Amino acid sequence: MFSSVAPLVRLNPFYAPHFQLVQDGVRKRAEPAGAPTTRRSLAAASAAEEYSCEYGSLKFYALCGVGGVLSCGLTHTAVVPLDLVKCRMQVDPEKYKSIFNGFSVTVKEDGVRGLAKGWAPTFIGYSMQGLCKFGFYEVFKILYGNMLGEENAYLWRTSLYLAASASAEFFADIALAPMEAAKVRIQTQPGYANTLRQAVPKMFGEEGIWAFYKGVAPLWMRQIPYTMMKFACFERTVEALYKYVVPKPRSECTKGEQLVVTFVAGYIAGVFCAIVSHPADSVVSVLNKEKGSSASQVLMRLGFKGVWKGLFARIIMIGTLTALQWFIYDSVKVYFRLPRPPPPEMPESLKKKLGLTE
């Protein structure tokens, strides 16, 4: 199929590499072979002036981490009321029968302020998680891409996104686990503690350091598949949107138009993330509430139906959350003038191997 394309390309009147121009009756040859290189050098210099740092530099990774702190810390804190109701539905479905019922019961018992329970560990924990998640994702994506080489990095780009995001989330969950454990105790155990300052010493006094990390394995079960879907689905959705939906190339889109594409791709990715990670999320919520239970025991007790309790609330929460996270993260990159590579394109060397170019 590819071999049949080459003859058609040659028939294009603009194909000749030394296409000649006629101006004022004088035939002029196109620029010499060195000219395009000069233009590329000027373009590279212009790009270097446009960006505040080099792609893959320590400053680049650090500012990506700042973007992760803001995107995850702010968004998770903003949806604390919905997260609180979702957690209570998972651990006490008899009392909290639905989203609306959960909000109603919570407001009756604790007042409107009760909906904000757990905001402090949420903000701290997910800020730390965002720092590691987004910062390390950029590190591992570049690292693994260099290991694969340009051609394989393009051909196996989905696997590259999955591997980089899984590696980043492994460390992000270790940073998140202590605050997640405290948050669930505050939200799901009435009378246990109302603030982070009350919960931390009480948890440490009862179970020691293990109280903060016993949920790290279920967190990996929940967050690693979630993050793999979040990053891989987002990257490929952005690529598809620019290829099939957006009527012009990304380079011709304004920064605002690019951020709209980012938001749409983030929401699509968020819906899939919620579905993939919800069963493990149910286990984490129950596990952090109970003492002495293991993840496998909780999973067996909940059963197939039990692990899907609160899914609708999680889809709304995670879909909105993921879209806002990518929007904030990309906005931070724009604000700090960080390099934002366009969707990947097939390398010229690979095109030649496939017979797409001469």
Side-chain angles (χ1 to χ4, degrees), residues 21-149:
L21 302 175
V22 179
Q23 184 177 1
D24 299 329
V26 180
R27 296 177 66 84
K28 296 181 180 179
R29 291 186 64 83
E31 294 176 340
T37 305
T38 305
R39 286 200 302 271
R40 283 195 297 270
S41 300
L42 291 172
S46 175
E49 292 174 6
E50 179 187 351
Y51 300 131
S52 63
C53 61
E54 185 181 350
Y55 182 66
S57 64
L58 288 177
K59 182 179 178 182
F60 173 79
Y61 294 136
L63 290 175
C64 286
V66 170
V69 168
L70 294 174
S71 65
C72 291
L74 294 177
T75 52
H76 277 277
T77 305
V79 295
V80 160
L82 187 59
D83 183 47
L84 180 142
V85 173
K86 183 260 306 175
C87 287
R88 289 183 172 182
M89 286 172 61
Q90 289 170 332
V91 301
D92 195 353
E94 296 299 320
K95 184 176 181 180
Y96 304 94
K97 297 178 174 61
S98 67
I99 298 175
F100 300 109
N101 175 257
F103 272 103
S104 177
V105 172
T106 300
V107 171
K108 282 181 182 177
E109 292 183 348
D110 304 323
V112 176
R113 291 184 63 184
L115 293 172
K117 271 191 174 182
W119 74 268
T122 297
F123 178 73
I124 296 170
Y126 282 95
S127 293
M128 295 301 297
Q129 188 213 35
L131 173 71
C132 298
K133 183 196 301 245
F134 283 93
F136 283 146
Y137 174 71
E138 299 288 356
V139 172
F140 285 117
K141 185 169 73 168
I142 293 174
L143 175 65
Y144 295 160
N146 291 337
M147 290 169 62
L148 288 171

Side-chain angles (χ1 to χ4, degrees), residues 10 12-20 29-33 36 39 358:
R10 294 192 191 95
N12 185 342
F14 299 99
Y15 172 77
H18 298 290
F19 180 66
Q20 295 178 333
R29 291 186 64 83
E31 294 176 340
R39 286 200 302 271
E358 286 296 309

